[in-house]
Amino acid sequence: VQTGVFYNSNHYGYYLAMIIALAAALATAEKKKGSRIFYLIVFGFNVVILQFNRTLGAWVACLFALFFQIIIRYIVDRKKSIYAIVELCSYLAITGAVGLYDNYMIMSILSLFIDIKRVTMDSVHADDVGSARWKLWKITVQKTVKRPFLGYGVEGLYYEFGKDGSGGRSHCEYLQYASFFGIPAAVAYVVGCVQVFISGYRNRSRIDGVTIACLVAAFSYLVSATFGNTWFYT
């Protein structure tokens, strides 16, 4: 996978985050039994793959997306979606079941809570939190506030990260845009993304299942983008 399609397993994780969310939402929206079973198989299979891919950010994104699906289904249908709830429970169950064989993801999830505690209570010594992402985020913020309006251009901080942060990117798409193009551009991007969901809410009375599925998949990506970088294949 890393050499044939994606440069890095985390990049494959971004793809899985969207595929899992999309399959789950299509299964919920589907009326035909055969098609629903197909989507559920795709969902379950890729959830298993995600555990072995060991991408915590993508796992968190899928978790949020499945919660989001329950909420959006309740808003649109005005009732709880049993399928959406079952998919969330299945997601957690598969994570636990695979954890009996390979506990890497389970341990990563547990370490996430420890990392959050370290950031909130001992931020001075929290640079290695999130595979050193916290350090990269601090560097990005420190540099961006010095050039807040136009940023440093595309890959403008690459060598700074190589020197100070042991990486070439911010590992947060939103901070990356702020450092590349300036804070106003990053805010415009976030506002544009939010506007899509606002539009969906305003049109909730006539929104269809496929559109909901796209919103759920997009939401999953936007969460995963908090921990990742843009790439030509994402």
Side-chain angles (χ1 to χ4, degrees):
V1 169
Q2 293 185 33
T3 57
V5 180
F6 298 97
Y7 290 160
N8 183 284
S9 61
N10 284 340
H11 307 168
Y12 183 39
Y14 308 153
Y15 169 79
L16 289 173
M18 290 184 287
I19 290 298
I20 291 170
L22 186 62
L26 287 174
T28 302
E30 185 58 59
K31 303 299 182 183
K32 297 180 181 179
K33 184 177 180 180
S35 297
R36 175 171 283 163
I37 292 173
F38 170 76
Y39 290 130
L40 287 174
I41 291 173
V42 173
F43 167 74
F45 177 77
N46 283 286
V47 171
V48 172
I49 295 299
L50 178 60
Q51 314 308 309
F52 290 110
N53 194 59
R54 299 181 171 185
T55 311
L56 180 60
W59 186 91
V60 172
C62 289
L63 181 66
F64 275 77
L66 292 173
F67 272 113
F68 176 72
Q69 181 188 202
I70 294 174
I71 295 171
I72 194 173
R73 273 292 171 185
Y74 184 80
I75 291 173
V76 172
D77 300 333
R78 297 184 179 180
K79 62 180 181 180
K80 296 178 181 178
S81 172
I82 299 301
Y83 284 106
I85 295 173
V86 169
E87 286 169 350
L88 174 60
C89 294
S90 298
Y91 182 73
L92 297 174
I94 292 173
T95 300
V98 175
L100 297 176
Y101 176 81
D102 180 356
N103 68 351
Y104 181 91
M105 187 64 77
I106 298 294
M107 297 305 297
S108 295
I109 295 168
L110 294 176
S111 68
L112 177 62
F113 294 99
I114 298 174
D115 286 347
I116 293 174
K117 182 178 180 181
R118 289 176 63 188
V119 169
T120 56
M121 301 186 67
D122 188 20
S123 58
V124 176
H125 301 96
D127 282 352
D128 60 338
V129 163
S131 300
R133 277 174 172 79
W134 187 248
K135 181 178 182 179
L136 292 172
W137 294 351
K138 289 199 302 183
I139 293 173
T140 303
V141 171
Q142 290 167 0
K143 296 293 183 179
T144 301
V145 295
K146 294 180 180 179
R147 298 187 64 177
F149 297 109
L150 296 177
Y152 294 83
V154 177
E155 310 298 356
L157 293 177
Y158 183 86
Y159 294 105
E160 290 292 336
F161 285 134
K163 178 177 65 177
D164 299 326
S166 68
R169 288 281 189 89
S170 303
H171 282 273
C172 173
E173 185 172 319
Y174 310 105
L175 291 179
Q176 176 186 315
Y177 286 152
S179 67
F180 280 8
F181 312 117
I183 295 174
V187 171
Y189 172 68
V190 172
V191 170
C193 292
V194 171
Q195 182 59 39
V196 173
F197 292 92
I198 292 176
S199 177
Y201 177 78
R202 289 174 176 170
N203 295 280
R204 61 190 181 280
S205 61
R206 59 179 184 273
I207 196 171
D208 60 16
V210 174
T211 303
I212 292 176
C214 291
L215 288 172
V216 173
F219 187 83
S220 185
Y221 174 81
L222 291 172
V223 175
S224 73
T226 306
F227 316 103
N229 303 314
T230 57
W231 292 93
F232 60 88
Y233 43 40
T234 58

